[in-house]
Amino acid sequence: PLLESLMAHGLARPWRHSQAGSACTLEITPHESGLVGADGNVSPGLFSVGPLHEQIRRFTIIAPIPNARSTVLREIDAAAGAALAVLS
């Protein structure tokens, strides 16, 4: 219901390269994982990370290894930093 609601309100849109029959991959910005709305602009304050974006970013479901400069942790850190900036 959440994904459908975000898309119905124009706050998110499917990634243009989503594979038919797979779970909906939402379009996000490359650095901060901000949701891209139906109009192509970033939806302020909305971010999405994790397995939902496995088609865009590989290995989002692998548990990070400490001190390994994990891509997953870097992406989550960037999204959290951007979210905190919105709240400031």
Side-chain angles (χ1 to χ4, degrees):
L2 176 61
L3 297 182
E4 289 88 7
S5 180
L6 288 169
M7 289 189 285
H9 288 90
L11 297 172
R13 69 181 183 188
W15 182 48
R16 65 183 177 277
H17 300 294
S18 290
Q19 297 173 0
S22 64
C24 181
T25 298
L26 299 178
E27 185 172 349
I28 54 175
T29 59
H31 300 291
E32 296 176 342
S33 302
L35 283 180
V36 176
D39 62 0
N41 293 312
V42 176
S43 295
L46 296 177
F47 305 89
S48 184
V49 295
L52 185 61
H53 305 292
E54 185 68 14
Q55 289 184 37
I56 298 173
R57 297 179 172 150
R58 296 292 181 221
F59 309 118
T60 58
I61 59 174
I62 295 175
I65 300 169
N67 301 317
R69 294 202 27 83
S70 165
T71 302
V72 174
L73 291 181
R74 286 194 310 256
E75 291 169 1
I76 292 170
D77 183 60
L84 287 172
V86 169
L87 298 173
S88 299

